[in-house]
Amino acid sequence: MKKHKGVLFDLDGTLLDTANDLGKALNYVLKSKGLKTVDREIYRPVASDGSKGLLELGFGDRLCEFDFEQLRVAFLNYYQENIAIHTCLYPGIEDLLSSLDDLNIPWGIVTNKPEYLAQILVPQFSQFKQCKTLIGGDTLPERKPHPAPVLFAAEKIKCAPTDCIYVGDAPRDIESGNRANMHTVIAQWGYILNKDECKNWQADVITLNPLDILATIK
């Protein structure tokens, strides 16, 4: 098996379980408009889709009755003020990152979360202190599933794309990594509603355990 020399990760649903804080932001906006809130089991699978996906979920057919940009700003402002109250690392992530650090394997984060929010969230976790690069959804003109963000991140960690692993929990993550000629890994522990569906994403590997990623690293 080919050994890889660098790892890039998606953030929400891959490294961090951010669903509860994102869901709180959605329900705050819904309450402010006098609408019914959304239960955790409903918003959780949509958490990787960010403010747009969550607002579309919560408001449904009534979204057209409101100014979407005002809703988005209210969502993001609330989320920024409450960004890491319920957020936590997924089991196995701390050990994985520690192992990468011990092996001197560079790693970074490529997320579609706005960069300013990612820059606030990531430092909340000491386990991320060795992160070599943090690319947000608006760092470049393109965002995932375009390959540009992961290619830019690979350059930042000084790793050839073909020597790099990209780990994510959404089709856009795998598409982005595949288009960049990276080794793609589905984080099946993340926000995936239909586990069978991810078999069609054309990833190189599907894993339930973050530590299994170490098997492909030199």
Side-chain angles (χ1 to χ4, degrees), residues 111-131:
T111 175
N112 272 1
K113 186 187 287 299
E115 184 180 317
Y116 80 96
L117 289 175
Q119 293 283 5
I120 294 170
L121 178 58
V122 167
Q124 305 287 325
F125 297 87
S126 61
Q127 297 88 345
F128 294 161
K129 63 179 182 252
Q130 295 301 321
C131 179

Side-chain angles (χ1 to χ4, degrees), residues 56-125:
E56 288 174 346
L57 170 72
F59 281 81
D61 294 340
R62 298 197 60 183
L63 188 61
C64 61
E65 300 175 21
F66 301 91
D67 183 318
F68 181 80
E69 185 58 21
Q70 287 183 358
L71 297 179
R72 190 183 74 87
V73 169
F75 178 102
L76 293 175
N77 286 344
Y78 182 91
Y79 180 61
Q80 180 178 347
E81 294 300 317
N82 302 274
I83 200 166
I85 293 177
H86 303 288
T87 291
C88 61
L89 277 79
Y90 281 100
I93 292 297
E94 181 172 5
D95 290 340
L96 171 60
L97 297 182
S98 177
S99 296
L100 294 178
D101 294 340
D102 290 343
L103 292 166
N104 292 316
I105 299 293
W107 60 272
I109 298 171
V110 184
T111 175
N112 272 1
K113 186 187 287 299
E115 184 180 317
Y116 80 96
L117 289 175
Q119 293 283 5
I120 294 170
L121 178 58
V122 167
Q124 305 287 325
F125 297 87

Side-chain angles (χ1 to χ4, degrees), residues 19-44 50-51 54-59 71 74-76 78-79 82 86:
N20 287 341
D21 286 324
L22 288 164
K24 293 279 188 184
L26 171 62
N27 285 334
Y28 165 80
V29 178
L30 288 168
K31 284 181 182 177
S32 74
K33 301 302 180 184
L35 299 179
K36 183 180 177 181
T37 59
V38 177
D39 292 337
R40 182 177 183 272
E41 61 266 23
I42 302 299
Y43 66 65
R44 181 177 174 79
S51 59
L54 286 164
L55 288 168
E56 288 174 346
L57 170 72
F59 281 81
L71 297 179
F75 178 102
L76 293 175
Y78 182 91
Y79 180 61
N82 302 274
H86 303 288

Side-chain angles (χ1 to χ4, degrees), residues 192 194-201:
I192 300 173
N194 187 337
K195 303 296 185 185
D196 290 331
E197 223 175 69
C198 64
K199 296 174 184 175
N200 301 320
W201 297 358

